[in-house]
Amino acid sequence: MDAVGFALLAGGLLGVSAVLVRMGLRAVPDVNASAFVISFIALLVTVALALALGVAPDEVRIGELWPFLAIGVFVPGAARLLYVQAVHDAGPSRAAILVGTAPLLSVLIAVSVLREPIGPALAAGTLLIVGGGIALVRERVRPAEFKVVGLLLAVLVAILVAIRDNVARSVTSGVDVAPVIEIAAVLATASVTAFVFLVIGSRGRGVLARTRQVFIPFLPMGVLAGFASLAVLEALDRGPVTVVAPLVATQALWGVVFSSLLVRQTEAITGRIVAAAVCVVGGGALIGIAH
């Protein structure tokens, strides 16, 4: 499978996982514990994949993994906590759409820092993404539990993802490490980061009980997160940020599709939401085509 295939796979997995997170939070509304469990299960999935692929212990070179360990602290470490909270406050479709603006931010960083080429379609893609964001912000019909802060958190996640894409692209191009080992390193520090937030938030009390309570409801999300993270790094290992990021951002459209199928009554899926998702994904596609 090439970069396009892995990026599209990641977008689909991230889209459905956003809806599953919302469903899990309705069962157990514990943001900190769920963020930790998702990261930890994703780590277990990755380690299992490494063993299944026959990765030998002597292939793991700690000296080459430090960039991935650092990446994991922020994405998906802190970013996952923010994203779960964004889904809780704004809903999966709206959060996924705003996180889907990451390609624009990724390209702007890639063009300015990594000196990747820029094409004429960038302006059109930018206008579409901005238009989709405006349509989302100005919508009049929203879920009863909607909070504006959820949209702000989703934008912050998009910024962190954009930075991650460029950093991952720059470090993976010069490091001879299997992607499954790279993502294991990322998820290891992500799990530690999420656990630290959990301990701080609970002041050290009831951590184990909270973890047990959310483990089963969030098990599917952790599995999907593991495969999605691996797909993203595999894609970035095979193609430029300007191609991979827009395709991963199809999670915005998948988030709306799965929300309409699974949580339509509570998500308030309107024509404006669909239009916003199409604009964001279409803008990302234009940016990708331009590069």
Side-chain angles (χ1 to χ4, degrees), residues 138-214:
R138 297 187 63 182
E139 64 172 331
R140 297 179 180 178
V141 179
R142 288 170 172 168
E145 302 173 354
F146 175 85
K147 296 179 182 178
V148 175
V149 68
L151 300 182
L152 299 178
L153 292 175
V155 171
L156 181 56
V157 173
I159 294 172
L160 291 174
V161 170
I163 295 173
R164 185 280 309 275
D165 287 345
N166 285 279
V167 172
R169 177 60 179 169
S170 63
V171 298
T172 55
S173 60
V175 177
D176 185 22
V177 179
V180 69
I181 299 300
E182 296 172 357
I183 196 58
V186 168
L187 290 171
T189 49
S191 298
V192 172
T193 302
F195 184 73
V196 169
F197 277 111
L198 174 59
V199 172
I200 293 175
S202 61
R203 298 181 180 179
R205 295 190 297 270
V207 172
L208 183 59
R210 291 173 63 185
T211 302
R212 284 201 303 262
Q213 187 178 25
V214 304

Side-chain angles (χ1 to χ4, degrees), residues 69-139:
L69 295 172
I71 289 172
V73 173
F74 300 98
V75 181
R80 175 157 290 136
L81 179 63
L82 295 173
Y83 185 62
V84 172
Q85 187 67 57
V87 171
H88 179 272
D89 292 340
S93 60
R94 290 162 179 81
I97 289 172
L98 286 179
V99 173
T101 63
L104 173 60
L105 304 173
S106 293
V107 169
L108 293 178
I109 294 173
V111 168
S112 60
V113 178
L114 300 182
R115 303 300 179 185
E116 292 192 6
I118 183 171
L122 177 59
T126 301
L127 289 175
L128 276 174
I129 290 176
V130 172
I134 292 174
L136 187 62
V137 171
R138 297 187 63 182
E139 64 172 331

Side-chain angles (χ1 to χ4, degrees), residues 9 11 35 59 75 120 218 238 244 285-286 290:
L9 175 61
E59 295 182 43
V75 181
F218 286 88
R238 290 167 166 75
V244 172
L286 278 177

